Amino acid sequence: MDTPNATSLSNWPFRWHVQVVDETGSTNADLLAAAAAGAPDRSVLVARHQTAGRGRLDRRWDAPAGANLLVSLLFREIPADPHVLTQRVALAAAVACERLAGVRPSLKWPNDLLLDDVKLAGVLAQAYLGPHPAVVVGIGINVGWAPEGAAHVGHDVQPLDLLAEMLRAYDDLPEDVWLMYRDRLGTIGRRVRVELPDGMVEGVAVDVDPDGQLVVVDDAGKSRRFAVGDIVHLRIARE
């Protein structure tokens, strides 16, 4: 992986190929280019600052230099259901926050980490579909700084320490993470609004399928499954 100003740090968990840069446009874009150039499985690129970071729906993701963890991970070993990679990265990040800072984030379907019901981190996956396919999973975690209305891990945690713990947590995950993901998913039991390109659906999120689809009972009492969509937590459902 040939990235300007990149440095490799020692003492990273085994089998992870980690490089750190001071600044780049987007770690996801850089790793997708690296995938095309033959970068190995478990390549990791972390930037102290991104100038063109993006989340889902092309939302801008920015932070002061060095304050937060802005990182992308490249996977060559792609499971039959590629969404599992985003679940695994989100779970590893949540476990790392718990181990290192003593906070316990929940997950918001499909790809956010929440702390006290406000956003702590977001995950974005993109695929390289060339001769040797890969999936790049990017995550931005508010560590020492957060925008207004968001949460952060804490000023006493260093982003690179959190990354090292996240990689160790990833390696510690079971092969099948569905039950672990389901248990950590704070969307279940919530009244939600599912925002879709052609409209909106409101109801109560009651489960998540092993294939990652969110199960929502809408206001007409119909059970519906969503593979994609933007979720808004409205309020805790009451009996």
Side-chain angles (χ1 to χ4, degrees):
M1 185 165 48
D2 185 12
T3 306
N5 301 319
T7 57
S8 296
L9 303 185
S10 59
N11 300 321
W12 294 107
F14 179 63
R15 293 198 305 146
W16 294 97
H17 311 281
V18 181
Q19 290 189 309
V20 181
V21 297
D22 288 331
E23 182 176 286
T24 191
S26 162
T27 55
N28 261 33
D30 288 351
L31 267 195
L32 287 169
D41 182 46
R42 293 187 172 217
S43 293
V44 179
L45 179 63
V46 55
R48 294 185 175 92
H49 185 238
Q50 286 190 125
T51 59
R54 290 290 185 272
R56 289 187 68 251
L57 306 179
D58 204 36
R59 292 169 178 146
R60 184 173 177 82
W61 185 276
D62 201 3
N68 293 341
L69 179 57
L70 310 171
V71 62
S72 297
L73 302 85
L74 184 154
F75 298 97
R76 295 285 187 186
E77 297 179 5
I78 305 171
D81 292 321
H83 75 274
V84 171
L85 291 173
T86 61
Q87 292 180 353
R88 296 181 72 88
V89 169
L91 282 168
V95 170
C97 290
E98 194 166 1
R99 288 178 179 175
L100 205 59
V103 298
R104 192 178 193 279
S106 62
L107 303 183
K108 175 189 171 191
W109 189 91
N111 65 354
D112 286 348
L113 275 70
L114 304 182
L115 191 60
D116 297 327
D117 213 31
V118 294
K119 187 168 182 175
L120 176 70
V123 179
L124 175 68
Q126 295 175 281
Y128 167 69
L129 302 177
H132 302 286
V135 171
V136 171
V137 181
I139 183 168
I141 306 176
N142 298 329
V143 180
W145 175 89
E148 184 177 355
H152 67 281
V153 175
H155 297 289
D156 56 342
V157 175
Q158 296 300 312
L160 293 184
D161 291 340
L162 185 61
L163 173 60
E165 195 61 51
M166 187 180 88
L167 299 180
R168 284 189 284 268
Y170 189 98
D171 288 338
D172 291 342
L173 292 172
E175 182 176 350
D176 186 348
V177 297
W178 174 62
L179 287 177
M180 187 177 179
Y181 174 78
R182 186 177 182 274
D183 287 344
R184 182 79 70 153
L185 193 63
T187 302
I188 295 176
R190 298 294 300 263
R191 181 166 178 79
V192 299
R193 181 170 65 245
V194 186
E195 298 180 347
L196 304 164
D198 57 351
M200 297 184 297
V201 174
E202 290 192 5
V204 176
V206 296
D207 207 350
V208 63
D209 286 343
D211 63 2
Q213 292 189 87
L214 185 69
V215 183
V216 175
V217 176
D218 67 20
D219 289 343
K222 181 180 179 181
S223 181
R224 306 178 63 166
R225 284 166 169 77
F226 298 93
V228 295
D230 207 31
I231 291 290
V232 178
H233 286 180
L234 299 177
R235 64 177 183 270
I236 297 176
R238 304 293 185 185
E239 294 294 337

